[in-house]
Amino acid sequence: MYDHKEIEGRWQKRWRADKVYQTSEDTTKEKCYSLVMFPYPSGDGLHIGHARIYIGADIYARMRRMQGYRVLHPMGWDAFGLPAEGYALKQGKHPQETTEQNVANFKQQCQQLGLAYDWEREINTTDPAYYKWTQWIFLQLYKKGLAYESHAPVNWCPSCKTGLANEDLSGGKCERCDSAVERKPLRQWVLRITDYADQLLDDLETLEGWSESVKEVQRHWIGRQEGFVIPFVVPSAGATIEVFTTRPDTLFGCSYIALSPESGYVETLLPHCTNREAVEEYRREQYIAKADETVSSGMVLEGIFAKHPITGDSVPVYVAGYVLGGYGTGAVFAVPAHDERDHAFAQIHGLPITQVVSGDDHLPAVEIAASSVLINSGKYDGTPCEEAKKILTEAAGGKPEVVYRLQDWVFSRQRYWGEPIPLIHCEQCGVVPVPEEDLPVELPEVDSYEPTGTGESPLAAITEWVSVTCPQCKGAGKRETNTMPQWAGSSWYHLRYIDPGNTTALVDKEKERQWMPVDMYTGGMEHAARHLIYARFWHKVLRDSGAVSTSEPYATLRTVGIVQAEGGGKMSKRSGNVVDPLAIAEYIGVDAVRVYLAHIAPFAQTVAWDSKGVAGPRRFLERVYALREKVGAGNADKAVTRLRHKTILSVTADITAYRFNTAVATLMIFANALGDIETVPQEEYRVLVRLLAPFAPYLADELWHALGNETSVHTAPFPEADAAAAQEETVTIAVQVQGKTRGTVTVPRGSEQEAVLSTVQEDERLRDYTNGLTVKVFVKDKIVSFV
RNA sequence: GCCGGAGUGGCGGAACUGGUAUACGCGCACGACUUAAAAUCGUGUACCUCUGGUAUGCGGGUUCGACUCCCGCCUCCGGCACCA
């Protein structure tokens, strides 16, 4: 038994002292930027999911370093945001203090896991030297007109007491605390991410190293939809309602107009309707509990009628809960015969249901058949639907329009623990950006940082911080008191690692070109529609302002599968089934935990923890350790040498493709083969130890030194194979009769059909089977098939 | 409902562009060592009516040959969900 604790402690110290994992500046080497999604350092420490991500990326980065790449493999802390602040509140401490504690703990745990990070490049989003540049990027956005102030209703979490972006919701609830979210009009800063919607969508096609599933999530999140806008005039109010539709062909089936409760049109029309109070009351209700409202909810605007743009008929106008404020124009024309929601609404409110498309009589008939034509549509009767879309749009004075599901990014939080938004409100000059030379705007020390719930950040109460001189007119000004969301710091951190100490620029241009883009980005699928869209957006803005040279930040993306609790299901503190990777490592060693996580399943696949299964990897490492005593002079026989070359080839290919599970299996086969021979030739063992090094870095270095090496195995060259030497001299080929395998024959590699057939004849059983049959197919070195 | 992914031994999984299904590991059984147990090592381990036959979620198809390709279903997991 090897003493894993002793070995781990010794090598950790040694690696640090020898700076084994320092990033190489040798630009003659090919670069490899391997990045992991940095964690929010919670009070619970690293969990098994972190470990699986970091270990996978670590195996890859370690192999690349040994292969002679110039590897950048850094780590940092995403320490601003609601969870950090919430944790500090619970502890009754300042978030600064708890963040420092948690970071220290995480860092120690990362080091224990043997992760080969270059700690000289460690970053922390809460460090003023870091968030100076987060604020700087915000100013660039502001100056480009990509940040704007809005008073529109936002998602408000009554428990977190802050406004949230769409991306912060999950099923209409707060992603953090699961509270039902209300709609609340609030002054806020919003980023114009929709300006980049097309680029974010189109450039997905260039990301060959991304899985289709992540790209699909992003495509859907962006939700580009081509349709039409049609104007409906409301003569009594002197207003025009523009509705968005993908089905202008159904215009003759319009029974009413439905407006979102949040729609500006409601505002415009209110003074002209006779039931103003009731409508306002209804809107208020809708703002609060929107989640489970049915299609039926709605209220007519009495006295208001829109003019049908083709027939000229008067159409009633409703405010309806089912119409979204943030999609299209916030107004739709309703066709109860051909839309399920409109149909349900019309039935409840007693509105006409007129079928205008031929086909299915069972209403609402939603699908358009290729043969569908218009009916009940005046002179347009008989026109095929697709054609009618254009014709009716034109007749109605409408035009084509593209809309997106993606909405602008609500960027202010009414909380303390975040980057202050670097703007000043001046009575004379309006909104004035903080001059770049005055950055960072540091978060002030406070006694109480609890959220207020008033829609204002706790910073608003700190008068001495809020009151400033206007940089423009030198008059009295007030600081913006909202802070940025947690997503801000993580939207550009990949650039900071490249040049962590820079005080004069976001990133040095030369260095940026030396490292970007990130070659291998490893993390969780949960960020597919959040962090990964935000980071791509900021990166494109930075490209447009010349700060970065690439259009996309992450060339290849690898997402990890979830580690479930023993027997399946989610790990949770409540169920008491949380597996702590470091606690396991206490008794079986870090190397065994690493090998276990690598071997258990394909990296991207969900897998359940198996407490019995972890013994296997330790046994394997024990066998490798025991082999050192059998190492001696001499050469291996041909079979072993061939296996060595085959092993090198497949382990290298597997790690490159993140197939760690099969890489481990291959290593086990090789190690088991060495276990079967009397004296293990040194050459074979040297290869085994180096192939093992990315997986079991501690034991590998121990064994490497036992072989007489002075420097770390992690700076040794990764073994290379001779493809020819990996070739078998003989092959076993299958003999099939009518497609069934009846046996095999072993022949020299490359044997022709005649030679194979004569070998078949030598086998009594196969001879009987194949007697009188003809060869249908012969594939060299693979099969011979008789019929 | 829509989109994406996956169904292979008792379990996690392997099988590259169609070519010997079940690698590797866990578990289990038996054996060795031991006073005994643990640990370790060795052997075996898809199923059956076993000279053969049947098995990769189910039903078809293409092929000399299908886990792999095509058509139609079922189940599970993940994401989005009043998107006009």
Side-chain angles (χ1 to χ4, degrees), chain A residues 118 158 187 211 243 271 288 313 347 376 438 497 542 692 786:
Chain A
D118 178 357
R187 186 189 69 83
S211 70
V243 302
I288 295 168
D313 291 347
Q347 283 192 319
N376 298 324
D438 292 348
Y497 287 126
L542 291 172
L692 187 65
F786 292 87

Side-chain angles (χ1 to χ4, degrees), chain A residues 355 357-362 365 369 371-373 375:
Chain A
Q355 184 176 359
V357 172
S358 68
D360 201 345
D361 289 336
H362 182 72
S371 59
S372 296
V373 295
I375 55 173

Side-chain angles (χ1 to χ4, degrees), chain A residues 84-96 98 414-417 444-452 457-459 462:
Chain A
E85 190 185 305
Y87 176 77
L89 278 168
K90 258 192 206 157
Q91 300 282 308
K93 292 176 182 167
H94 193 277
Q96 181 83 51
T98 54
Q414 292 70 48
R415 298 283 297 227
Y416 170 73
W417 193 236
E445 284 293 321
V446 288
D447 299 327
S448 166
Y449 56 90
E450 289 201 34
T452 62
S457 147
L459 292 177
I462 310 169

Side-chain angles (χ1 to χ4, degrees), chain A residues 704-720:
Chain A
W704 187 244
H705 281 74
L707 282 167
N709 295 288
E710 297 291 327
T711 53
S712 172
V713 70
H714 304 297
T715 55
F718 203 68
E720 285 185 38

Side-chain angles (χ1 to χ4, degrees), chain A residues 564-584:
Chain A
Q564 295 182 325
E566 182 117 34
K570 221 172 122 85
M571 283 188 194
S572 70
K573 274 195 254 180
R574 264 179 63 199
S575 349
N577 56 8
V578 176
V579 174
D580 174 2
L582 289 141
I584 306 287

Side-chain angles (χ1 to χ4, degrees), chain A residues 769-780:
Chain A
Y769 266 118
T770 59
N771 223 350
L773 300 177
T774 55
V775 174
K776 173 79 181 182
V777 174
F778 173 77
V779 182
K780 194 185 277 183

Side-chain angles (χ1 to χ4, degrees), chain A residues 259-438:
Chain A
L259 303 177
S260 163
E262 292 174 11
S263 166
Y265 293 128
V266 181
E267 222 73 56
T268 313
L269 299 176
L270 264 180
H272 303 276
C273 63
T274 54
N275 61 339
R276 184 173 178 164
E277 306 262 304
V279 171
E280 283 184 335
E281 176 57 29
Y282 173 71
R283 281 178 92 196
R284 267 195 294 279
E285 278 170 28
Q286 285 293 307
Y287 273 20
I288 295 168
K290 191 158 194 299
D292 297 321
E293 284 303 299
T294 61
V295 174
S296 62
S297 155
M299 182 163 284
V300 71
L301 298 179
E302 283 172 16
I304 301 279
F305 291 94
K307 196 173 151 221
H308 190 288
I310 297 179
T311 64
D313 291 347
S314 282
V315 180
V317 179
Y318 282 76
V319 183
Y322 73 91
V323 181
L324 297 173
Y327 185 76
T329 60
V332 298
F333 77 84
V335 183
H338 301 291
D339 181 280
E340 284 174 13
R341 297 152 301 180
D342 297 346
H343 190 260
F345 190 92
Q347 283 192 319
I348 287 154
H349 294 266
L351 291 152
I353 300 172
T354 315
Q355 184 176 359
V356 289
V357 172
S358 68
D360 201 345
D361 289 336
H362 182 72
L363 298 182
V366 183
E367 303 280 313
I368 317 180
S371 59
S372 296
V373 295
L374 298 196
I375 55 173
N376 298 324
S377 298
K379 66 174 179 178
Y380 300 100
D381 280 358
T383 313
C385 285
E386 278 310 317
E387 216 175 298
K389 286 183 181 178
K390 285 182 203 107
I391 296 170
L392 293 202
T393 299
E394 222 159 89
K399 60 177 196 303
E401 176 87 346
V402 177
V403 302
Y404 300 89
R405 209 187 79 99
L406 181 72
Q407 291 179 38
D408 279 342
W409 179 6
V410 173
F411 197 68
S412 357
R413 298 293 177 272
Q414 292 70 48
R415 298 283 297 227
Y416 170 73
W417 193 236
E419 302 87 344
I421 291 176
L423 295 173
I424 291 164
H425 299 267
C426 169
E427 277 179 32
Q428 301 298 317
C429 318
V431 175
V432 180
V434 172
E436 287 182 17
E437 59 271 23
D438 292 348

